[in-house]
């Protein structure tokens, strides 16, 4: 992971330069730990961030809000994870009601609020593509010994000129007829493809007979850009017992944010009539094949013995005639 060094300076006028340096070093270590924590742990319910998605045109302003419920905390920090970048960049922070912005962000961002309760990150004029990415807020205390709690993140997309918001087309594809899994747990893979959408504010979920399922689900980490549009694929692994049941309904649902609200688009298919290579059928077929092979070997052996006997008889008759 790219380690982000956050330079958090004191707002108190009475602190000397050495104290500022000590604070900076402590906070560099603290932010490094926070980023490691963010990469491996769940986000906190103590911090609420909204909205979850923003679509905006260039030169339009945008605001992200963050609030926390930790009474002893007085700092809210703001981070940007640009599109295509795995690292986080510190935008600035709010200590009580005193904001501090990092140099690269001072001209285009502003931070307001009270770090002990809530904060707002203001993007003064959206730029494409510099401001597209995911934005996080984090609540903490002043000092190196406070655990930080991150918000859920806000995905921001600055729309490209000439492109319009387009919902996805969803299609569920049947499993391959050649797929039979292993003997102990034969499986079938159902594939869901969502394509032709812009931008990539989507999420994919599966339902079996109307009930949400997460086991056996594998979805692409991110949508793939194809020309002006995006495509994302998700796979659902199910048992052959469930698949070979025409009453079972498999549904793939794609949630798409269109700039004002989230709409869902889905496609479904039914399981097939009993058939295919189930474990029982596989065992029966292999046993039948073994039996047929055994019978063929026995017949071949008998045929070979008969031929050998005939050859022996002919050779013996020829010997008697010579005598």
């Amino acid at each position: 992971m790219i380690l982000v060094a956050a330079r958090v300076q004191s707002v108190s006028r009475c602190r000397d330069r050495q104290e500022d340096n000590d604070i900076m070093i402590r906070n560099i270590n603290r932010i490094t730990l926070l980023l490691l924590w963010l990469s491996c742990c769940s986000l906190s319910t103590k911090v609420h961030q909204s909205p979850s998605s923003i679509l905006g045109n260039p030169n339009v302003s945008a605001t992200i809000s963050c609030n926390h419920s930790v009474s002893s905390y007085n700092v809210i920090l703001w981070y940007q994870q640009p599109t295509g970048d795995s690292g986080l960049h510190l935008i600035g922070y709010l200590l009580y009601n005193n904001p501090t912005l990092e140099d690269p962000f001072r001209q285009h961002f502003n931070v307001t609020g009270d770090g002990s309760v809530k904060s707002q990150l203001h993007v003064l004029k959206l730029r494409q593509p510099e401001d597209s990415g995911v934005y996080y807020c984090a609540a903490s205390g002043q000092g190196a010994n406070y655990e930080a709690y991150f918000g859920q993140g806000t995905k921001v997309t600055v729309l490209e000129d000439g492109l319009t918001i387009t919902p996805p087309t969803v299609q569920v594809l049947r499993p391959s007829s050649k797929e039979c899994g292993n003997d102990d747990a034969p499986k079938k893979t159902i594939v869901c493809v969502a394509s032709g959408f812009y931008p990539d504010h989507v999420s994919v979920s599966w339902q079996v007979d109307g009930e949400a399922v997460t086991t056996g689900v594998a979805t692409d980490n991110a949508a793939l850009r194809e020309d002006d549009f995006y495509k994302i694929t998700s796979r659902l692994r199910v048992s052959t017992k469930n698949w070979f049941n025409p009453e079972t309904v498999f549904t793939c649902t794609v949630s798409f944010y269109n700039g004002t609200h989230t709409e869902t688009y889905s496609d479904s298919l039914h399981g097939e009539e009993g058939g295919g290579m189930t474990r029982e059928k596989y065992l029966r077929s292999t046993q039948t094949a073994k039996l047929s092979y055994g019978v063929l070997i026995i017949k071949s052996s008998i045929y070979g013995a008969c031929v050998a006997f005939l050859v022996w008889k002919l050779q013996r008759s020829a010997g008697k005639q010579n005598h």
Side-chain angles (χ1 to χ4, degrees):
M1 168 180 276
I2 299 175
L3 301 179
V4 180
R7 181 171 52 87
V8 183
Q9 300 176 340
S10 171
V11 297
S12 175
R13 296 181 179 179
C14 64
R15 293 175 179 165
D16 59 20
R17 184 177 298 274
Q18 183 60 43
E19 289 176 333
D20 287 339
N21 290 336
D22 291 341
I23 291 174
M24 181 181 69
I25 293 172
R26 288 199 304 268
N27 281 284
I28 286 174
N29 295 331
R30 177 164 62 91
I31 297 303
T32 298
L33 292 175
L34 295 186
L35 298 185
L36 292 174
W37 177 87
L38 177 61
S39 68
C40 63
C41 303
S42 61
L43 301 176
S44 175
T45 58
K46 298 181 180 180
V47 178
H48 299 278
Q49 185 175 335
S50 64
S52 60
S53 294
I54 292 177
L55 301 182
N57 292 307
N59 298 319
V60 174
S61 63
T63 299
I64 304 172
S65 299
C66 178
N67 63 78
H68 69 84
S69 57
V70 187
S71 59
S72 59
Y73 280 13
N74 53 20
V75 178
I76 294 180
L77 305 101
W78 287 97
Y79 298 93
Q80 180 197 58
Q81 183 181 22
T83 301
D85 191 339
S86 60
L88 293 180
H89 303 273
L90 179 67
I91 299 172
Y93 64 95
L94 191 66
L95 173 60
Y96 289 113
N97 59 355
N98 298 300
T100 298
L101 289 169
E102 296 298 291
D103 289 339
F105 300 96
R106 288 180 179 174
Q107 300 300 320
H108 301 285
F109 292 82
N110 190 20
V111 175
T112 59
D114 184 342
S116 61
V117 182
K118 62 183 178 180
S119 176
Q120 297 81 36
L121 175 67
H122 305 279
V123 188
L124 303 181
K125 287 186 178 181
L126 289 170
R127 299 167 297 168
Q128 205 291 322
E130 295 93 333
D131 295 330
S132 292
V134 182
Y135 292 76
Y136 295 95
C137 69
S140 184
Q142 185 182 10
N145 298 322
Y146 288 90
E147 181 180 7
Y149 299 105
F150 277 80
Q152 296 78 8
T154 297
K155 184 170 184 176
V156 176
T157 295
V158 184
L159 299 173
E160 301 175 35
D161 291 337
L163 298 183
T164 58
I165 298 173
T166 306
T169 299
V170 182
Q171 184 179 13
V172 179
L173 306 177
R174 293 181 175 275
S176 169
S177 60
K178 297 180 180 180
E179 183 184 24
C180 60
N182 56 60
D183 294 346
D184 295 328
K187 296 284 187 178
K188 289 289 186 180
T189 303
I190 306 171
V191 179
C192 176
V193 180
S195 59
F197 57 91
Y198 176 83
D200 59 337
H201 288 233
V202 295
S203 61
V204 183
S205 60
W206 286 91
Q207 300 83 37
V208 177
D209 289 336
E211 297 292 332
V213 293
T214 56
T215 303
V217 174
T219 303
D220 295 343
N221 292 328
L224 177 66
R225 183 73 178 259
E226 294 181 341
D227 297 326
D228 292 337
F229 300 99
Y230 287 91
K231 175 182 179 181
I232 193 169
T233 303
S234 181
R235 294 154 292 280
L236 174 64
R237 293 272 285 172
V238 299
S239 67
T240 52
K241 179 180 179 181
N242 280 345
W243 173 247
F244 290 113
N245 181 355
E247 296 182 357
T248 304
V249 181
F250 304 91
T251 302
C252 173
T253 300
V254 178
S255 299
F256 176 75
Y257 180 69
N258 62 13
T260 58
H261 61 281
T262 299
E263 292 189 352
T264 58
Y265 302 84
S266 62
D267 188 29
S268 302
L269 57 78
H270 288 259
E272 295 181 351
E273 290 286 348
M277 190 60 69
T278 63
R279 183 171 184 272
E280 293 76 11
K281 289 190 176 184
Y282 175 76
L283 293 176
R284 287 199 298 269
S285 64
T286 53
Q287 290 173 353
T288 301
K290 290 178 181 178
L291 181 60
S292 300
Y293 184 66
V295 171
L296 179 62
I297 292 177
I298 294 173
K299 288 183 177 180
S300 298
S301 300
I302 295 173
Y303 177 76
C306 291
V307 171
F309 178 75
L310 292 175
V311 170
W312 177 78
K313 288 281 290 181
L314 291 173
Q315 288 176 345
R316 187 174 181 182
S317 298
K320 287 182 179 181
Q321 290 176 0
N322 290 334
H323 286 297

